[in-house]
């Protein structure tokens, strides 16, 4: 305990330092905005790299590696390690949206905009559209999706709530994903509500909580952007260490939004797996061949043409990389089926587990136990681009497959541990606990099997 106490004192000083050095953080934010803009815009206006181009002598390929090979995979990793520090300190969209809101109309936030399903819908649509225009492979596609998202963030900032981050709170396509993964963070800003209410000592100036949180009642790390602005408020807010299992094990159905489970099961696991898999899936090939045969038999040859514009479907004929209308439709169907079939199977197994525990409301907390597996899947899928780009440079990377196996096994084990601990909190008979654990094992094994197919089974 003394060692943990010293650790927490160090973390508390770190959190207070973030509050005191807010101008430094703002300078870092603008540096990230500039780097982000260069990474997005410059490659999009340069000629497409030739087949012999290499990362170290071609700015477009180098930017592609930095952006998709380093930036996004390790943003996910920072969320798991430090909570939503990325959102509060480094995210360029959040910084620009908050900055724009100081000069905008400052309108109130309408009820329709506060609908809890926007982050899930935005994540699914962005993921699907990104596959249709090959966002990982072409700078123009990245500029369209990510640049468009940034413009939308600025527009929302100009319209609503002066000095706030309405985009980040309600509309950002990755906000829901980050909220899920932040539950695993081993550090967070803890609020002692009783001390907050009782503290009558001289107080710090009220902080501007940009994502509009009720700081006094804040529990956990899922919504907090970890910007440090409220650290030390009333002596009741401090950055501390905690168990990475704590927030998920103590989650209740009342504290969770139904959209949390929907996003995790149908989006982060189901849809994302389909998005990362379809290029290597024999099922996708079989689907497209079946549809092509039907089209030919019914003389619908227009669907086999590849004349769609690049901003609708991938169209780069100079590199023999163009999607036909059939390709686009097949991608939509495959990703939709991946989301619905896998998400529904997981939902059924977890609901059955909850019923065996004689508490149907347990479904929502049980769904959260799959968060480590969902996060690991996103990292595996995004880092596949890292590996692909490095192998284009001639690196063998023989350690990659064992590393993937270790990460997948660790995530499976973590999710199993969370699920079993959550069931242990229920007073169940041995038979019910055994059946519930079996359903939980089947759900987690189903996800693990999907990733095994991509990296080992189909190779």
């Amino acid at each position: 305990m003394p060692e943990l106490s010293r650790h927490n004192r160090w973390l508390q000083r770190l959190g207070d330092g973030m509050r005191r050095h807010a101008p430094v953080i703002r300078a870092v934010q603008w540096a990230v905005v500039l780097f982000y803009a260069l990474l997005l815009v410059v490659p999009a206006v340069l000629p497409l790299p030739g087949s012999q181009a290499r990362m170290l002598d071609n700015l477009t390929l180098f930017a592609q590696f930095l952006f998709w090979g380093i930036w996004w995979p390790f943003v996910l990793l920072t969320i798991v390690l430090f909570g939503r520090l990325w959102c509060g300190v480094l995210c360029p969209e959040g910084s620009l949206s908050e900055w724009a809101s100081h000069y905008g109309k400052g309108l109130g936030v309408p009820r329709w905009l506060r609908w809890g399903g926007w982050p899930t819908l935005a994540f699914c649509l962005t993921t699907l559209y990104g596959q249709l225009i090959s966002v990982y492979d072409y700078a123009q596609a990245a500029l369209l999706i990510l640049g468009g998202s940034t413009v939308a963030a600025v527009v929302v900032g100009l319209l609503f709530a002066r000095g706030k981050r309405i985009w980040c709170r309600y509309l950002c396509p990755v906000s829901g994903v980050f909220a899920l993964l932040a539950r695993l963070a081993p550090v967070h800003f803890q609020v002692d509500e009783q001390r907050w209410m009782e503290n009558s000592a001289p107080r710090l100036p009220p902080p501007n909580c940009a994502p509009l949180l009720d700081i006094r009642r804040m529990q956990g790390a899922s919504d907090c952007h970890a910007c440090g602005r409220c650290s030390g408020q009333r002596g009741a807010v401090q950055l501390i260490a905690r168990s990475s299992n704590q927030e998920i094990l103590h989650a209740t159905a009342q504290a969770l939004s139904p959209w949390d489970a929907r996003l995790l099961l149908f989006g982060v696991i189901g849809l994302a797996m389909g998005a990362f898999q379809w290029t290597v899936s024999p099922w996708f090939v079989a689907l497209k061949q079946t549809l092509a045969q039907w089209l030919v038999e019914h003389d619908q040859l227009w669907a086999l043409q590849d004349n769609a514009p690049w901003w609708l479907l991938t169209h780069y004929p100079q590199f023999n990389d163009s999607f036909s209308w059939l390709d686009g439709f097949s991608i939509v169907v495959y990703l939709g089926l991946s989301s619905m079939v896998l998400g529904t199977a997981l939902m059924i197994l977890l609901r059955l587990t909850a019923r065996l525990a004689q508490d149907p409301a347990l479904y929502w907390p049980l769904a959260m136990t799959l968060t480590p597996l969902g996060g690991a899947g996103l990292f595996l899928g995004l880092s596949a681009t890292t590996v692909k780009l490095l192998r284009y440079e001639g690196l063998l990377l023989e350690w990659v497959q064992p590393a993937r196996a270790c990460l997948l096994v660790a995530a499976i084990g973590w999710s199993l541990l969370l699920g079993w601990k959550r069931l242990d909190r229920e007073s169940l008979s041995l038979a019910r606990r055994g059946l519930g654990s079996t359903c939980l094992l089947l759900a987690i094994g189903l996800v693990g099997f999907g990733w095994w197919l991509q990296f080992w089974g189909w190779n």
Side-chain angles (χ1 to χ4, degrees):
M1 289 301 294
E3 183 64 31
L4 180 61
S5 178
R6 288 196 296 271
H7 190 189
N8 279 335
R9 284 198 297 270
W10 182 83
L11 286 173
Q12 184 177 356
R13 288 195 295 269
L14 177 61
D16 292 344
M18 292 174 68
R19 185 196 71 241
R20 291 193 304 268
H21 296 93
V24 176
I25 291 178
R26 284 194 293 271
V28 171
Q29 288 173 336
W30 283 110
V32 174
V33 167
L34 178 60
F35 182 64
Y36 175 78
L38 291 174
L39 213 57
L40 266 185
V41 176
V42 174
V45 299
L46 292 175
L48 292 172
S51 59
Q52 301 302 315
R54 289 294 177 264
M55 189 189 305
L56 295 180
D57 60 22
N58 186 278
L59 181 58
T60 300
L61 290 180
F62 186 64
Q64 181 187 13
F65 174 72
L66 287 180
F67 206 54
W68 297 114
I70 302 296
W71 183 307
W72 280 109
F74 288 93
V75 164
L76 294 178
L77 186 60
T78 65
I79 300 295
V80 174
L81 294 177
F82 308 114
R84 300 182 66 172
L85 181 72
W86 168 262
C87 298
V89 176
L90 298 172
C91 177
E93 284 191 1
S95 302
L96 287 170
S97 188
E98 184 179 353
W99 169 79
S101 71
H102 287 288
Y103 305 96
K105 294 186 175 182
L107 301 177
V109 183
R111 184 175 180 180
W112 64 265
L113 196 144
R114 290 182 274 121
W115 177 53
W118 287 124
T120 300
L121 181 62
F123 173 80
C124 293
L125 292 178
T126 302
T127 300
L128 179 59
Y129 185 44
Q131 298 305 304
L132 293 176
I133 63 174
S134 299
V135 69
Y136 301 140
D137 298 318
Y138 296 102
Q140 294 92 335
L143 178 60
L144 178 60
I145 288 184
L146 298 174
S149 177
T150 302
V151 170
V154 171
V155 170
V156 169
L158 289 171
L159 291 176
F160 303 108
R162 199 175 305 281
K164 304 298 181 181
R165 296 189 177 193
I166 300 304
W167 171 263
C168 305
R169 175 69 185 273
Y170 298 113
L171 298 173
C172 175
V174 292
S175 176
V177 177
F178 289 171
L180 290 171
L181 298 183
R183 289 185 166 93
L184 303 173
V187 295
H188 79 129
F189 281 94
Q190 183 188 59
V191 181
D192 185 335
E193 186 174 356
Q194 182 176 355
R195 188 172 183 181
W196 178 288
M197 296 297 294
E198 294 175 350
N199 193 345
S200 59
R203 299 168 184 171
L204 296 169
N208 171 33
C209 183
L212 292 168
L213 303 183
D214 182 354
I215 299 172
R216 176 167 68 92
R217 297 182 176 86
M218 186 174 69
Q219 300 291 326
S222 59
D223 294 322
C224 175
H225 284 196
C227 62
R229 299 179 192 183
C230 64
S231 184
Q233 277 292 315
R234 301 195 182 201
V237 184
Q238 60 179 344
L239 183 64
I240 68 163
R242 64 172 186 174
S243 167
S244 293
N245 299 336
Q246 176 180 317
E247 191 164 342
I248 289 179
L249 290 180
H250 290 87
T252 63
Q254 294 73 26
L256 294 170
S257 164
W259 288 103
D260 293 331
R262 293 165 188 164
L263 173 59
L264 178 60
L265 302 185
F266 292 90
V268 172
I269 294 177
L271 182 67
M273 185 179 291
F276 292 127
Q277 274 187 355
W278 70 269
T279 56
V280 297
S281 171
W283 300 339
F284 175 80
V285 174
L287 170 67
K288 195 172 77 167
Q289 289 177 341
T290 301
L291 292 174
Q293 183 177 355
W294 185 92
L295 289 168
V296 171
E297 290 174 353
H298 291 78
D299 199 27
Q300 300 294 322
L301 301 183
W302 63 268
L304 304 180
Q305 298 177 7
D306 58 354
N307 55 358
W310 71 268
W311 48 265
L312 185 60
L313 293 173
T314 299
H315 186 76
Y316 301 93
Q318 64 271 42
F319 295 105
N320 296 317
D321 189 12
S322 295
F323 289 173
S324 66
W325 297 100
L326 172 61
D327 290 325
F329 181 75
S330 300
I331 292 171
V332 172
V333 171
Y334 186 87
L335 267 63
L337 287 174
S338 175
S339 174
M340 295 308 298
V341 172
L342 185 53
T344 302
L346 295 175
M347 182 182 68
I348 291 172
L349 288 168
L350 292 173
R351 285 196 180 276
L352 182 57
T353 305
R355 289 193 174 276
L356 288 167
Q358 298 177 307
D359 182 7
L362 187 62
Y363 162 73
W364 307 106
L366 280 175
M368 293 299 99
T369 65
L370 270 62
T371 302
L373 197 50
L378 288 179
F379 186 83
L380 285 170
L382 286 171
S383 62
T385 300
T386 313
V387 173
K388 179 183 73 173
L389 293 173
L390 289 175
R391 283 178 172 163
Y392 283 165
E393 299 300 311
L395 300 178
L396 297 178
L397 304 179
E398 296 178 352
W399 53 269
V400 166
Q401 289 296 75
R404 283 171 171 163
C406 289
L407 177 59
L408 184 58
V409 169
I412 289 173
W414 193 354
S415 287
L416 280 174
L417 177 66
L418 288 170
W420 284 337
K421 284 190 172 184
R422 199 65 183 77
L423 285 177
D424 278 342
R425 299 179 61 184
E426 309 296 319
S427 299
L428 303 177
S429 66
L430 184 61
R432 285 183 175 274
R433 180 171 298 183
L435 289 173
S437 298
T438 300
C439 291
L440 195 62
L441 182 62
L442 287 174
I444 293 172
L446 182 62
V447 182
F449 177 69
W451 289 114
W452 176 84
L453 283 176
Q454 175 168 347
F455 293 113
W456 293 277
W458 289 331
N459 287 331

